[in-house]
Amino acid sequence: EESTFLGCFRLKSVTIPEGVTEIGSDAFSGCRGLTSVRIPDSVTRIMHCVFKNCSGLTSVRIPEGVTQIGWHAFYKCSRLTSVTIPEGVTEIRGGTFGDCSGLMSVTIPEGVTYIGDHAFHNCSGLTSVKIPEGVTQIGEFAFKDCSRLTSVTIPEGVTRIEDNAFAGCSGLTSVRFPEGLIHIERSAFEGCSGLMSVMIPKRVTRIGLYAFANCSGLRSVIIPKEVTRIGARTFWNCSELTSVTIPEGVTHIGTYV
C-alpha cells in the first residue's frame, strides 16, 4: 500500500518479506532514522518517493529483478554512498537520486535509455559517472551541482543537452560531446568553472542562453559553421576567454554574449 510507514522517523531497520513484488509510493518516505533496509528478490517495482528523505540510509541493495524505480524514490537520502541500478531498469526517472549529497558511486546499466529531470541533481559527492551508450535523453537539471564530477562522455544517441543539465558542475574539466548533437540548451554548462576548452560538434545549430555563462576557466571555444544563433549571455563572465571562432553563418548574437 501507499504511504504505509510515512513519517515513522524513529524506525531504524526494515526487512520486507519475500513474496512482496511492489513497494508502494511513499511507503517509507520521511523515515529519517532508517539506517537499514532489506528488499527481497521478489520485488520488481519500487514506486514513487518510497525512500524519500530517508536521510539515515547509508546503503541499499536493489534486487536484480527490479525493472521500475519511481521518481524521487531515493530523493534526499543524503547519506547514501553507492547504488547499483539493476540491468532491467530502462529509465531513471525525475529526481530519483536528487540531493543524495553523499553519493560517491553509481552504476547505471547498459539498458537505460532515459535519465530524467533532476535525476542526480546536487549529488555533490559524485566524482564519476558512466552514461550508457543507449541513453538518448538526459533531462533538465539531471546532473546540476554535481560539483565533484570531473569528466563526462555524452552518448552518441543524445541530440540535445537540456536546460541546466550540467550547470554548476564546477569540477568538470572535460566534456566529450556526441557528433549527432544539434542543440545545447539554456544554462546547460553554466558555472562549470573548471572547463578550459570546448569543441562544439559540427552539427550543432543552436546554443542557448547562458549555455556556458560563468565558465570562468574557459579559454577557447570553436563554434561550428552550422550554428546560426548564439543566445544572450552564452559566454557571459567567461573572464579567461581569449579565443572564439564565430562562423559566417551566424545571423543572431544575443545581448551580453
Side-chain angles (χ1 to χ4, degrees), residues 82-176:
S82 66
V83 171
T84 298
I85 300 167
E87 290 294 331
V89 173
T90 59
E91 294 185 352
I92 301 174
R93 299 188 178 186
T96 301
F97 298 100
D99 275 343
C100 290
S101 54
L103 191 64
M104 295 184 287
S105 170
V106 61
T107 302
I108 303 173
E110 290 299 321
V112 168
T113 59
Y114 171 74
I115 297 174
D117 298 349
H118 299 269
F120 295 96
H121 184 182
N122 199 31
C123 290
S124 53
L126 198 62
T127 56
S128 66
V129 62
K130 182 180 183 297
I131 302 173
E133 283 299 317
V135 170
T136 57
Q137 186 175 351
I138 299 171
E140 297 178 6
F141 299 86
F143 293 94
K144 187 180 189 292
D145 294 328
C146 292
S147 55
R148 293 185 185 177
L149 197 63
T150 57
S151 66
V152 169
T153 297
I154 300 169
E156 287 299 324
V158 174
T159 59
R160 174 174 168 152
I161 300 174
E162 301 288 354
D163 295 2
N164 287 277
F166 296 94
C169 294
S170 54
L172 197 63
T173 58
S174 169
V175 178
R176 185 174 177 182

XYZ file of all heavy atoms in Angstrom, residues 82-176:
691
model
N 26.567 4.643 -2.228
C 26.715 3.943 -3.509
C 25.422 3.228 -3.886
O 24.657 2.803 -3.015
C 27.871 2.936 -3.456
O 27.594 1.892 -2.557
N 25.203 3.113 -5.191
C 23.997 2.463 -5.712
C 24.350 1.712 -6.982
O 25.076 2.240 -7.843
C 22.892 3.498 -6.031
C 21.745 2.843 -6.780
C 22.362 4.148 -4.766
N 23.850 0.493 -7.094
C 23.920 -0.254 -8.347
C 22.490 -0.437 -8.844
O 21.664 -1.038 -8.158
C 24.593 -1.627 -8.160
O 25.942 -1.418 -7.724
C 24.600 -2.417 -9.464
N 22.223 0.102 -10.024
C 20.880 0.020 -10.609
C 20.796 -1.266 -11.431
O 21.677 -1.531 -12.258
C 20.608 1.264 -11.479
C 20.710 2.538 -10.608
C 19.230 1.183 -12.131
C 20.758 3.820 -11.409
N 19.775 -2.084 -11.231
C 19.691 -3.387 -11.924
C 19.586 -3.272 -13.440
O 19.134 -2.256 -13.976
C 18.422 -4.014 -11.333
C 18.159 -3.283 -10.074
C 18.674 -1.895 -10.280
N 19.975 -4.343 -14.114
C 20.009 -4.400 -15.577
C 18.641 -4.206 -16.227
O 18.552 -3.721 -17.353
C 20.599 -5.743 -16.032
C 22.079 -5.908 -15.753
C 22.946 -4.947 -16.556
O 22.540 -4.550 -17.666
O 24.021 -4.592 -16.056
N 17.573 -4.582 -15.550
C 16.240 -4.488 -16.144
C 15.650 -3.095 -16.172
O 14.632 -2.844 -16.829
N 16.276 -2.158 -15.470
C 15.772 -0.780 -15.425
C 16.159 -0.060 -16.709
O 17.318 -0.081 -17.122
C 16.329 -0.037 -14.188
C 15.948 1.439 -14.226
C 15.819 -0.680 -12.902
N 15.175 0.578 -17.359
C 15.441 1.309 -18.611
C 15.330 2.823 -18.465
O 15.788 3.558 -19.332
C 14.477 0.853 -19.727
O 13.128 1.082 -19.300
C 14.666 -0.628 -20.042
N 14.741 3.279 -17.359
C 14.574 4.719 -17.142
C 14.968 5.080 -15.714
O 14.580 4.398 -14.764
C 13.119 5.156 -17.360
C 12.627 5.020 -18.779
C 11.215 5.574 -18.940
O 10.584 5.918 -17.914
O 10.750 5.660 -20.074
N 15.752 6.154 -15.586
C 15.993 6.740 -14.274
C 15.137 7.994 -14.230
O 15.412 8.973 -14.927
C 17.484 7.057 -14.064
C 18.312 5.777 -14.193
C 17.707 7.688 -12.685
C 19.796 5.997 -14.149
N 14.092 7.946 -13.463
C 13.065 8.982 -13.532
C 13.432 10.234 -12.738
O 14.423 10.265 -12.014
C 11.734 8.389 -13.083
C 11.307 7.239 -13.973
C 9.919 6.743 -13.695
N 9.556 5.670 -14.621
C 8.352 5.128 -14.668
N 7.391 5.543 -13.853
N 8.097 4.167 -15.536
N 12.618 11.244 -12.899
C 12.879 12.547 -12.305
C 13.152 12.498 -10.817
O 12.371 11.936 -10.060
N 14.277 13.088 -10.410
C 14.607 13.236 -9.003
C 14.913 11.956 -8.262
O 14.996 11.968 -7.031
N 15.115 10.850 -8.967
C 15.301 9.554 -8.307
C 16.385 9.604 -7.241
O 16.198 9.116 -6.124
C 15.638 8.455 -9.330
O 14.576 8.358 -10.280
C 15.787 7.101 -8.652
N 17.526 10.187 -7.581
C 18.628 10.284 -6.621
C 18.989 11.753 -6.353
O 20.100 12.052 -5.906
C 19.853 9.526 -7.137
C 19.605 8.050 -7.330
C 19.343 7.533 -8.592
C 19.588 7.182 -6.253
C 19.095 6.183 -8.774
C 19.341 5.824 -6.427
C 19.082 5.322 -7.687
N 18.067 12.654 -6.608
C 18.309 14.074 -6.369
C 18.640 14.351 -4.909
O 18.067 13.754 -4.004
N 19.591 15.260 -4.680
C 20.016 15.666 -3.331
C 20.578 14.516 -2.505
O 20.552 14.577 -1.271
C 18.867 16.345 -2.581
C 18.763 17.833 -2.886
O 19.739 18.403 -3.397
O 17.706 18.429 -2.622
N 21.079 13.488 -3.153
C 21.825 12.434 -2.451
C 23.275 12.915 -2.386
O 24.142 12.449 -3.139
C 21.713 11.096 -3.169
S 20.070 10.354 -3.071
N 23.508 13.867 -1.502
C 24.788 14.579 -1.492
C 25.964 13.704 -1.090
O 27.118 14.046 -1.371
C 24.694 15.794 -0.561
O 24.252 15.406 0.731
N 25.712 12.569 -0.439
C 26.790 11.664 -0.055
C 27.111 10.612 -1.092
O 28.075 9.849 -0.928
N 26.328 10.571 -2.173
C 26.501 9.542 -3.196
C 27.822 9.743 -3.941
O 28.044 10.768 -4.568
C 25.327 9.581 -4.174
C 25.197 8.421 -5.164
C 24.931 7.113 -4.433
C 24.066 8.691 -6.163
N 28.693 8.742 -3.854
C 30.008 8.827 -4.500
C 30.123 7.921 -5.716
O 30.950 8.151 -6.590
C 31.104 8.480 -3.497
C 31.222 9.473 -2.349
S 32.600 9.115 -1.229
C 31.967 7.673 -0.382
N 29.272 6.892 -5.767
C 29.380 5.912 -6.843
C 27.992 5.448 -7.274
O 27.148 5.121 -6.437
C 30.211 4.722 -6.365
O 30.157 3.649 -7.273
N 27.772 5.427 -8.578
C 26.518 4.900 -9.119
C 26.823 4.092 -10.375
O 27.624 4.518 -11.220
C 25.497 6.023 -9.403
C 26.026 7.014 -10.427
C 24.156 5.457 -9.857
N 26.228 2.915 -10.463
C 26.381 2.077 -11.648
C 25.064 2.078 -12.413
O 24.044 1.622 -11.910
C 26.764 0.633 -11.256
O 27.970 0.656 -10.493
C 26.964 -0.232 -12.494
N 25.121 2.629 -13.632
C 23.931 2.711 -14.476
C 24.025 1.608 -15.526
O 25.017 1.537 -16.260
C 23.833 4.091 -15.163
C 23.818 5.213 -14.110
C 22.582 4.184 -16.033
C 23.883 6.612 -14.702
N 23.027 0.742 -15.638
C 23.114 -0.380 -16.581
C 23.004 0.051 -18.042
O 22.469 1.125 -18.348
C 21.934 -1.265 -16.181
C 20.954 -0.333 -15.576
C 21.757 0.724 -14.872
N 23.487 -0.802 -18.924
C 23.518 -0.505 -20.358
C 22.128 -0.357 -20.967
O 21.963 0.290 -21.999
C 24.290 -1.595 -21.097
C 25.785 -1.597 -20.821
C 26.458 -0.301 -21.235
O 26.105 0.265 -22.288
O 27.337 0.156 -20.495
N 21.118 -0.928 -20.343
C 19.767 -0.866 -20.901
C 19.044 0.447 -20.693
O 17.972 0.677 -21.266
N 19.616 1.346 -19.896
C 18.973 2.637 -19.631
C 19.006 3.519 -20.873
O 20.049 3.679 -21.509
C 19.639 3.356 -18.435
C 19.179 4.811 -18.334
C 19.320 2.629 -17.138
N 17.853 4.083 -21.223
C 17.752 4.967 -22.399
C 17.401 6.400 -22.009
O 17.554 7.313 -22.816
C 16.680 4.457 -23.375
O 15.408 4.398 -22.702
C 17.031 3.066 -23.897
N 16.938 6.586 -20.780
C 16.441 7.906 -20.368
C 16.888 8.226 -18.948
O 16.731 7.411 -18.031
C 14.909 7.903 -20.450
C 14.224 9.112 -19.850
C 14.251 10.341 -20.500
C 13.530 9.028 -18.642
C 13.613 11.453 -19.954
C 12.892 10.127 -18.094
C 12.941 11.333 -18.756
O 12.310 12.435 -18.209
N 17.482 9.406 -18.774
C 17.828 9.925 -17.454
C 16.993 11.189 -17.257
O 17.138 12.164 -17.997
C 19.335 10.226 -17.338
C 20.144 8.924 -17.504
C 19.658 10.869 -15.999
C 21.643 9.136 -17.545
N 16.094 11.160 -16.290
C 15.081 12.190 -16.146
C 15.561 13.491 -15.508
O 16.702 13.605 -15.035
N 14.664 14.470 -15.484
C 14.936 15.771 -14.874
C 15.344 15.587 -13.406
O 14.709 14.827 -12.667
C 13.695 16.661 -14.920
C 13.229 16.966 -16.339
O 13.973 16.671 -17.295
O 12.110 17.508 -16.488
N 16.387 16.281 -13.006
C 16.854 16.287 -11.606
C 17.274 14.902 -11.097
O 17.379 14.702 -9.883
C 15.757 16.838 -10.669
C 15.346 18.246 -10.945
N 15.946 19.336 -10.338
C 14.389 18.751 -11.766
C 15.367 20.451 -10.774
N 14.431 20.124 -11.636
N 17.516 13.951 -11.990
C 17.796 12.570 -11.575
C 18.942 12.476 -10.569
O 18.866 11.722 -9.589
C 18.090 11.701 -12.791
N 20.018 13.246 -10.814
C 21.178 13.243 -9.911
C 21.526 14.664 -9.448
O 22.666 14.946 -9.081
C 22.389 12.609 -10.604
C 22.208 11.154 -10.934
C 21.792 10.771 -12.204
C 22.427 10.166 -9.987
C 21.615 9.425 -12.523
C 22.245 8.825 -10.294
C 21.837 8.448 -11.567
N 20.557 15.527 -9.448
C 20.752 16.927 -9.068
C 21.350 17.018 -7.655
O 20.855 16.413 -6.723
C 19.394 17.647 -9.126
C 19.469 19.119 -8.851
N 18.358 19.903 -8.830
C 20.505 19.949 -8.590
C 18.693 21.155 -8.561
N 20.005 21.197 -8.409
N 22.418 17.767 -7.545
C 23.076 18.028 -6.259
C 23.650 16.767 -5.610
O 23.705 16.665 -4.383
C 22.136 18.746 -5.278
C 22.896 19.435 -4.146
O 24.032 19.884 -4.329
N 22.293 19.484 -2.968
N 24.081 15.826 -6.414
C 24.865 14.693 -5.896
C 26.307 15.173 -5.833
O 27.149 14.803 -6.671
C 24.703 13.464 -6.786
S 23.065 12.718 -6.700
N 26.578 16.008 -4.840
C 27.846 16.731 -4.788
C 29.046 15.851 -4.464
O 30.191 16.284 -4.616
C 27.756 17.881 -3.781
O 27.314 17.412 -2.520
N 28.807 14.621 -4.032
C 29.908 13.700 -3.762
C 30.296 12.841 -4.946
O 31.324 12.153 -4.919
N 29.494 12.896 -6.013
C 29.707 12.036 -7.187
C 30.922 12.527 -7.974
O 30.957 13.666 -8.428
C 28.448 12.067 -8.056
C 28.246 10.968 -9.091
C 28.136 9.608 -8.428
C 26.969 11.252 -9.894
N 31.919 11.652 -8.137
C 33.148 12.054 -8.830
C 33.200 11.566 -10.278
O 33.888 12.165 -11.109
C 34.392 11.534 -8.087
O 34.293 10.110 -7.945
C 34.498 12.166 -6.705
N 32.488 10.488 -10.576
C 32.462 9.994 -11.952
C 31.160 9.260 -12.214
O 30.536 8.720 -11.292
C 33.650 9.059 -12.231
O 33.546 7.881 -11.458
N 30.751 9.275 -13.458
C 29.553 8.536 -13.863
C 29.724 8.117 -15.318
O 30.164 8.914 -16.153
C 28.275 9.385 -13.664
C 28.295 10.635 -14.517
C 27.029 8.570 -13.935
N 29.405 6.858 -15.593
C 29.450 6.366 -16.965
C 28.019 6.332 -17.490
O 27.193 5.562 -17.003
C 30.079 4.982 -17.038
C 30.189 4.439 -18.461
C 30.826 3.058 -18.486
C 31.003 2.551 -19.909
N 29.728 2.363 -20.629
N 27.748 7.191 -18.456
C 26.418 7.233 -19.049
C 26.383 6.207 -20.185
O 27.171 6.299 -21.123
C 26.098 8.651 -19.577
C 26.196 9.668 -18.426
C 24.705 8.691 -20.198
C 26.072 11.114 -18.873
N 25.493 5.222 -20.111
C 25.482 4.154 -21.125
C 25.229 4.669 -22.537
O 24.569 5.689 -22.735
C 24.332 3.251 -20.661
C 24.153 3.551 -19.219
C 24.490 4.995 -19.060
N 25.757 3.924 -23.515
C 25.636 4.298 -24.923
C 24.190 4.348 -25.402
O 23.874 5.049 -26.361
C 26.440 3.324 -25.794
C 27.931 3.566 -25.780
C 28.307 4.946 -26.307
O 27.746 5.382 -27.328
O 29.145 5.592 -25.674
N 23.311 3.601 -24.751
C 21.917 3.569 -25.185
C 21.090 4.760 -24.766
O 19.942 4.930 -25.220
N 21.630 5.624 -23.912
C 20.880 6.798 -23.449
C 20.673 7.776 -24.604
O 21.621 8.154 -25.296
C 21.609 7.496 -22.271
C 20.971 8.847 -21.959
C 21.573 6.606 -21.028
N 19.419 8.187 -24.807
C 19.093 9.133 -25.878
C 18.598 10.468 -25.334
O 18.522 11.440 -26.081
C 18.018 8.554 -26.814
O 16.855 8.219 -26.043
C 18.522 7.312 -27.529
N 18.266 10.505 -24.052
C 17.790 11.764 -23.473
C 18.305 11.927 -22.050
O 18.197 11.026 -21.218
C 16.255 11.820 -23.474
C 15.708 13.170 -23.012
C 14.195 13.245 -23.125
O 13.549 12.367 -23.686
N 13.621 14.302 -22.586
N 18.875 13.098 -21.794
C 19.310 13.495 -20.451
C 18.490 14.730 -20.093
O 18.556 15.750 -20.776
C 20.818 13.800 -20.417
C 21.620 12.550 -20.805
C 21.246 14.283 -19.045
C 23.107 12.805 -21.009
N 17.699 14.637 -19.046
C 16.722 15.667 -18.712
C 17.311 16.943 -18.133
O 18.505 17.052 -17.838
N 16.442 17.922 -17.947
C 16.811 19.198 -17.352
C 17.325 18.985 -15.925
O 16.769 18.185 -15.173
C 15.618 20.146 -17.347
C 15.112 20.505 -18.732
C 13.899 21.418 -18.697
O 13.521 21.858 -17.587
O 13.336 21.696 -19.770
N 18.374 19.711 -15.566
C 18.950 19.667 -14.215
C 19.435 18.262 -13.813
O 19.649 17.995 -12.635
C 17.928 20.150 -13.165
C 17.461 21.570 -13.341
C 16.406 21.876 -14.188
C 18.076 22.600 -12.649
C 15.972 23.178 -14.348
C 17.645 23.920 -12.801
C 16.594 24.208 -13.657
N 19.608 17.361 -14.768
C 19.906 15.951 -14.460
C 21.137 15.792 -13.576
O 21.137 14.985 -12.634
C 20.071 15.154 -15.746
N 22.210 16.535 -13.877
C 23.444 16.443 -13.090
C 23.844 17.810 -12.521
O 25.011 18.022 -12.179
C 24.580 15.887 -13.954
C 24.390 14.452 -14.365
C 23.797 14.134 -15.579
C 24.772 13.407 -13.537
C 23.609 12.813 -15.972
C 24.592 12.082 -13.913
C 24.002 11.787 -15.127
N 22.905 18.693 -12.390
C 23.211 20.043 -11.896
C 23.830 19.975 -10.489
O 23.401 19.203 -9.645
C 21.949 20.909 -11.860
C 22.225 22.369 -11.507
C 20.942 23.193 -11.496
C 21.260 24.682 -11.354
N 21.828 25.004 -10.031
N 24.852 20.795 -10.288
C 25.522 20.929 -8.989
C 26.203 19.647 -8.513
O 26.397 19.454 -7.312
C 24.556 21.447 -7.917
C 24.091 22.868 -8.192
O 24.876 23.644 -8.772
O 22.944 23.213 -7.841
N 26.566 18.782 -9.444
C 27.440 17.647 -9.107
C 28.863 18.197 -9.151
O 29.610 17.982 -10.118
C 27.245 16.497 -10.085
S 25.624 15.698 -9.959
N 29.213 18.917 -8.108
C 30.399 19.773 -8.131
C 31.728 19.022 -8.159
O 32.766 19.609 -8.482
C 30.368 20.721 -6.932
O 30.235 20.000 -5.722
N 31.728 17.717 -7.841
C 32.973 16.953 -7.863
C 33.118 16.093 -9.114
O 34.139 15.422 -9.296
C 33.070 16.068 -6.612
C 33.212 16.868 -5.328
C 33.435 15.992 -4.134
N 33.447 16.770 -2.912
C 33.564 16.255 -1.695
N 33.686 14.955 -1.540
N 33.557 17.038 -0.637
N 32.143 16.148 -9.970
C 32.212 15.408 -11.236
C 33.300 16.030 -12.099
O 33.293 17.242 -12.327
C 30.847 15.489 -11.923
C 30.523 14.492 -13.033
C 30.513 13.071 -12.488
C 29.158 14.820 -13.628
N 34.241 15.215 -12.579
C 35.398 15.764 -13.300
C 35.328 15.584 -14.811
O 35.894 16.391 -15.554
C 36.705 15.143 -12.779
O 36.639 13.721 -12.920
C 36.925 15.496 -11.315
N 34.669 14.531 -15.280
C 34.588 14.321 -16.726
C 33.273 13.641 -17.095
O 32.716 12.885 -16.295
C 35.767 13.493 -17.237
O 35.723 12.188 -16.722
N 32.809 13.927 -18.298
C 31.555 13.362 -18.794
C 31.705 13.041 -20.269
O 32.223 13.856 -21.042
C 30.383 14.354 -18.608
C 29.150 13.885 -19.366
C 30.031 14.526 -17.142
N 31.255 11.843 -20.646
C 31.122 11.486 -22.057
C 29.639 11.318 -22.337
O 28.974 10.471 -21.732
C 31.871 10.181 -22.389
O 33.271 10.374 -22.147
C 31.659 9.792 -23.849
N 29.115 12.152 -23.222
C 27.691 12.120 -23.553
C 27.496 11.175 -24.734
O 28.163 11.309 -25.759
C 27.181 13.542 -23.871
C 27.398 14.441 -22.638
C 25.715 13.522 -24.270
C 27.189 15.915 -22.910
N 26.596 10.190 -24.611
C 26.449 9.165 -25.654
C 26.023 9.712 -27.011
O 25.401 10.786 -27.112
C 25.365 8.246 -25.084
C 25.334 8.513 -23.627
C 25.715 9.946 -23.463
N 26.334 8.941 -28.053
C 26.073 9.353 -29.431
C 24.591 9.541 -29.746
O 24.237 10.298 -30.643
C 26.680 8.332 -30.400
C 28.190 8.391 -30.491
C 28.701 9.745 -30.979
O 28.052 10.370 -31.835
O 29.750 10.171 -30.477
N 23.719 8.862 -29.033
C 22.291 8.982 -29.322
C 21.641 10.263 -28.827
O 20.512 10.581 -29.191
N 22.357 11.024 -28.007
C 21.822 12.271 -27.459
C 21.971 13.380 -28.492
O 23.069 13.661 -28.962
C 22.535 12.658 -26.145
C 22.069 14.025 -25.652
C 22.285 11.601 -25.070
N 20.866 14.017 -28.858
C 20.894 15.097 -29.850
C 20.704 16.474 -29.224
O 20.908 17.484 -29.880
C 19.797 14.896 -30.922
O 18.517 14.861 -30.281
C 20.021 13.599 -31.691
N 20.353 16.479 -27.938
C 20.029 17.748 -27.290
C 20.444 17.689 -25.822
O 20.117 16.736 -25.124
C 18.528 17.959 -27.432
C 17.939 19.128 -26.721
C 16.486 19.187 -27.151
N 15.701 20.087 -26.348
C 14.634 20.719 -26.782
N 14.223 20.524 -28.021
N 13.959 21.512 -25.996
N 21.196 18.676 -25.384
C 21.542 18.778 -23.969
C 20.590 19.785 -23.354
O 20.581 20.962 -23.725
C 23.011 19.193 -23.776
C 23.933 18.148 -24.428
C 23.339 19.321 -22.291
C 25.389 18.527 -24.422
N 19.771 19.323 -22.429
C 18.661 20.117 -21.908
C 19.123 21.212 -20.945
O 20.267 21.257 -20.498
C 17.658 19.198 -21.201
C 17.071 18.107 -22.082
C 16.083 18.622 -23.127
O 15.745 19.824 -23.112
O 15.648 17.818 -23.970
N 18.174 22.098 -20.610
C 18.429 23.214 -19.702
C 19.100 22.739 -18.415
O 18.613 21.807 -17.763
C 17.125 23.909 -19.316
C 16.422 24.587 -20.476
O 16.911 24.491 -21.615
O 15.372 25.225 -20.234
N 20.188 23.399 -18.050
C 20.854 23.189 -16.762
C 21.333 21.751 -16.521
O 21.597 21.371 -15.374
C 19.925 23.604 -15.607
C 19.772 25.099 -15.489
O 20.598 25.783 -14.896
N 18.695 25.617 -16.071
N 21.452 20.957 -17.563
C 21.784 19.535 -17.396
C 23.058 19.319 -16.585
O 23.127 18.419 -15.742
C 21.893 18.846 -18.747
N 24.083 20.145 -16.838
C 25.355 20.013 -16.123
C 25.762 21.336 -15.458
O 26.932 21.516 -15.101
C 26.451 19.551 -17.082
C 26.210 18.174 -17.656
C 25.574 18.022 -18.880
C 26.586 17.036 -16.964
C 25.332 16.755 -19.409
C 26.352 15.771 -17.482
C 25.718 15.628 -18.698
N 24.838 22.225 -15.268
C 25.139 23.522 -14.645
C 25.674 23.324 -13.234
O 25.244 22.426 -12.509
C 23.887 24.393 -14.611
N 26.619 24.144 -12.857
C 27.154 24.081 -11.502
C 28.107 22.930 -11.248
O 28.495 22.703 -10.093
N 28.495 22.211 -12.293
C 29.493 21.132 -12.138
C 30.868 21.785 -12.183
O 31.588 21.688 -13.191
C 29.328 20.078 -13.229
S 27.780 19.156 -13.119
N 31.215 22.438 -11.093
C 32.403 23.290 -11.077
C 33.713 22.510 -11.188
O 34.743 23.079 -11.549
C 32.413 24.137 -9.805
O 32.280 23.324 -8.652
N 33.694 21.213 -10.899
C 34.900 20.396 -11.017
C 35.097 19.789 -12.393
O 36.132 19.164 -12.663
N 34.130 20.001 -13.271
C 34.177 19.396 -14.602
C 35.276 20.024 -15.442
O 35.285 21.234 -15.676
C 32.808 19.584 -15.271
C 32.465 18.720 -16.489
C 32.431 17.247 -16.106
C 31.108 19.136 -17.049
N 36.214 19.193 -15.890
C 37.320 19.693 -16.713
C 37.252 19.175 -18.147
O 37.906 19.716 -19.037
C 38.684 19.297 -16.112
O 38.751 17.866 -15.994
C 38.864 19.914 -14.730
N 36.460 18.131 -18.366
C 36.406 17.517 -19.691
C 34.985 17.077 -20.035
O 34.333 16.412 -19.237
C 37.355 16.311 -19.722
O 37.172 15.535 -20.889
N 34.533 17.475 -21.223
C 33.235 17.042 -21.749
C 33.444 16.536 -23.161
O 34.016 17.243 -24.006
C 32.194 18.179 -21.769
C 30.881 17.680 -22.361
C 31.954 18.722 -20.377
N 32.960 15.326 -23.412
C 33.017 14.780 -24.769
C 31.603 14.768 -25.335
O 30.726 14.078 -24.838
C 33.600 13.366 -24.765
C 33.784 12.795 -26.151
C 34.496 11.461 -26.097
N 34.598 10.876 -27.426
C 35.137 9.698 -27.671
N 35.630 8.973 -26.673
N 35.179 9.231 -28.897
